[in-house]
Amino acid sequence: MIDKSIRETLRTKYRVENGKKFKLNDFDPADTAGLSLSKKEAKKALKQRVKRLSELQELLYANSQRTLIVALQGMDTSGKDGTIKHVTSGINPQGIFVVSFKQPGPVELSHDYLWRVHMAMPPAGKIGIFNRSHYEEVLVTKVHPEILGAQRLPASVTADKDFWEHRYEDIRNFETYVHRQGHSIIKIFLNISKEEQRLRLLSRLDLSEKQWKFSPSDPKERKFWEQYQDVYQEAVEATAAPHAPWFVVPANNKWFARLVVVELMIAELEKFEMVAPKPNPEVLASLNLLKEELGGNPDKKLLVKEKQEKIVSESSPEVLASLRIIKDKLNSDPQLKEMIKEKKEEIKKTSTPEELQSLRLFKEELGAAEADAKKTKKVKKDKK
């Protein structure tokens, strides 16, 4: 349905890593990269790619060394919530760290503007998804500079003619720091048209189950559409970099935006070249013993070997020496050997299967003792 060449297109077509050449108007919000899928086909394609994302997330969690941060930005109704819901639908919730950056509260306002972003960074081994992000401080705040009044900044700071450039520089430095710790950050702008936003807002009013999403401020904020387009242009232009790229994802078609986002996450995780970590050496050394203990089906030959090794490792030198003496005694006395042989036959006839199993285990212990005795004798001989 979506072959390798199309997946590569989704990974690269909307990537911006050189802000100097970026023009937001060059990106069509209605683009679908030539794909035309029915709702059913799109759902199936997304499910397949989410499965791949889930596999990579398990490896990320198992290795617990790196982190992927996905910063989702977009105008109201651009589909941020829905994208997060559908892209993470098949992933273990323990491996996902979702943070929604809403209007900062008193505690957040008492710190610098990047403080809450540092606090929200996911631990190693997890995928962090930011629903809005640190970019709100150069987007909404730039369109509505009165917001700065609540941030308790000295007048000399806000009056600086390079104030916004300093913020872009702060963000670039922060993202460089994240990259230098071995983590990855991708920034996604869900790009919708003004008309598509209008239709989605009307849909929220028409459908009773969506009316809760509508805010009285939504129509007022639409009046700032052009200003928002300008600040997105400036933010991407100032902060796009090879190690922290922007992706301007067409979002007029929700199914397409979700396919692109999941593909971008897969592409970034695949760069980590992760493999499953090696099991605990103790587990490998006792694999069949553990299977037997749990009522599984161990390899019988390997089970005997593991039991012998366990006896040798857990027994004292004195016990092993005693076992060797017993074995030597049996081998050197023909009459005793014959007596034991007759006794064996009698035991086989009169013993239960459980009792016979116990005898076999004792025989294995003798075999292990003999092997250990030979090793000890050889070591002593070599020393002489």
Side-chain angles (χ1 to χ4, degrees):
M1 186 179 293
I2 298 181
D3 61 27
K4 187 175 180 180
S5 62
I6 294 176
R7 293 201 299 270
E8 187 60 27
T9 297
L10 300 185
R11 296 179 180 196
T12 58
K13 186 174 183 180
Y14 311 109
R15 183 184 181 98
V16 180
E17 57 180 49
N18 184 349
K20 293 180 180 179
K21 299 179 180 180
F22 173 68
K23 292 290 182 290
L24 182 55
N25 290 335
D26 292 342
F27 292 82
D28 180 7
D31 184 25
T32 60
L35 281 176
S36 180
L37 302 180
S38 66
K39 189 174 181 179
K40 184 177 180 181
E41 290 172 333
K43 187 176 181 180
K44 183 178 179 181
L46 181 63
K47 185 177 180 180
Q48 290 174 343
R49 299 312 286 159
V50 168
K51 182 180 179 181
R52 173 58 178 157
L53 179 61
S54 179
E55 293 169 354
L56 291 166
Q57 181 273 319
E58 286 188 11
L59 287 174
L60 183 72
Y61 183 81
N63 285 276
S64 291
Q65 290 182 328
R66 309 185 74 170
T67 296
L68 170 63
I69 300 102
V70 181
L72 274 180
Q73 289 289 155
M75 300 292 288
D76 290 336
T77 77
S78 60
K80 296 181 291 295
D81 292 340
T83 297
I84 294 171
K85 176 183 175 182
H86 286 83
V87 167
T88 63
S89 60
I91 299 178
N92 186 338
Q94 294 182 100
I96 298 290
F97 200 78
V98 180
V99 181
S100 182
F101 286 92
K102 298 182 180 180
Q103 186 174 344
V107 174
E108 293 165 323
L109 288 171
S110 66
H111 294 81
D112 65 273
Y113 76 95
L114 285 176
W115 175 82
R116 65 174 178 165
V117 185
H118 281 281
M119 296 298 290
M121 289 293 288
K126 291 196 176 187
I127 297 172
I129 300 180
F130 293 169
N131 187 346
R132 301 187 186 274
S133 67
H134 44 302
Y135 280 93
E136 291 294 284
E137 295 295 336
V138 290
L139 296 170
V140 179
T141 306
K142 198 169 185 180
V143 173
H144 300 287
E146 63 272 15
I147 293 174
L148 291 172
Q151 295 187 3
R152 307 177 189 179
L153 296 170
S156 59
V157 173
T158 55
D160 192 322
K161 63 182 178 63
D162 294 322
F163 176 82
W164 296 111
E165 179 52 43
H166 289 163
R167 287 212 161 182
Y168 293 138
E169 184 180 1
D170 293 339
I171 290 172
R172 289 195 299 268
N173 290 337
F174 166 71
E175 291 172 355
T176 299
Y177 167 77
V178 170
H179 172 70
R180 286 174 177 170
Q181 305 314 302
H183 308 309
S184 287
I185 181 168
I186 57 175
K187 302 163 301 191
I188 297 172
F189 172 41
L190 295 177
N191 185 28
I192 61 169
S193 65
K194 190 175 183 180
E195 175 62 12
E196 180 63 23
Q197 187 195 56
R198 185 183 73 84
L199 295 174
R200 291 184 185 183
L201 287 172
L202 284 174
S203 175
R204 288 182 178 181
L205 291 173
D206 291 337
L207 300 174
S208 58
E209 65 271 22
K210 290 187 176 182
Q211 288 173 357
W212 66 272
K213 291 184 175 183
F214 195 91
S215 169
S217 65
D218 288 341
K220 297 176 184 178
E221 206 65 12
R222 267 178 62 79
K223 295 177 182 179
F224 296 94
W225 181 272
E226 296 305 325
Q227 289 96 315
Y228 275 111
Q229 297 300 296
D230 289 341
V231 293
Y232 268 108
Q233 167 68 40
E234 292 162 4
V236 174
E237 187 177 328
T239 62
H243 63 273
W246 274 97
F247 294 88
V248 183
V249 176
N252 276 10
N253 296 283
K254 294 179 181 178
W255 64 266
F256 183 72
R258 292 163 186 169
L259 278 175
V260 176
V261 171
V262 75
E263 200 60 49
L264 296 177
M265 294 172 70
I266 290 170
E268 204 63 28
L269 288 172
E270 286 180 342
K271 292 177 183 177
F272 292 170
E273 298 181 342
M274 299 175 291
V275 295
K278 293 181 180 180
N280 187 309
E282 292 182 13
V283 173
L284 288 177
S286 307
L287 202 59
N288 290 280
L289 279 170
L290 293 169
K291 286 181 181 180
E292 182 186 47
E293 184 178 344
L294 293 170
N297 297 308
D299 183 298
K300 292 183 178 180
K301 289 184 178 179
L302 292 176
L303 178 62
V304 170
K305 183 179 179 182
E306 287 177 14
K307 285 181 177 179
Q308 291 174 346
E309 290 174 350
K310 185 177 180 182
I311 291 169
V312 171
S313 65
E314 294 179 353
S315 298
S316 66
E318 292 78 11
V319 171
L320 293 173
S322 297
L323 288 171
R324 179 176 57 79
I325 291 170
I326 293 171
K327 183 70 180 289
D328 291 343
K329 179 79 173 173
L330 291 175
N331 289 332
S332 63
D333 192 331
Q335 187 177 357
L336 184 58
K337 285 180 70 175
E338 185 61 31
M339 186 188 302
I340 290 174
K341 183 178 179 182
E342 292 173 0
K343 193 64 178 177
K344 277 184 179 180
E345 295 299 325
E346 182 182 341
I347 288 171
K348 284 182 182 179
K349 292 176 183 178
T350 59
S351 299
T352 64
E354 291 77 13
E355 290 170 334
L356 291 173
Q357 173 65 14
S358 298
L359 286 170
R360 279 194 288 271
L361 289 175
F362 180 68
K363 185 178 179 181
E364 291 166 11
E365 292 176 7
L366 290 176
E370 181 181 21
D372 186 68
K374 287 181 179 178
K375 288 180 183 177
T376 304
K377 188 175 182 181
K378 186 176 183 304
V379 170
K380 288 181 177 179
K381 186 178 179 182
D382 292 342
K383 286 183 177 180
K384 290 181 179 179

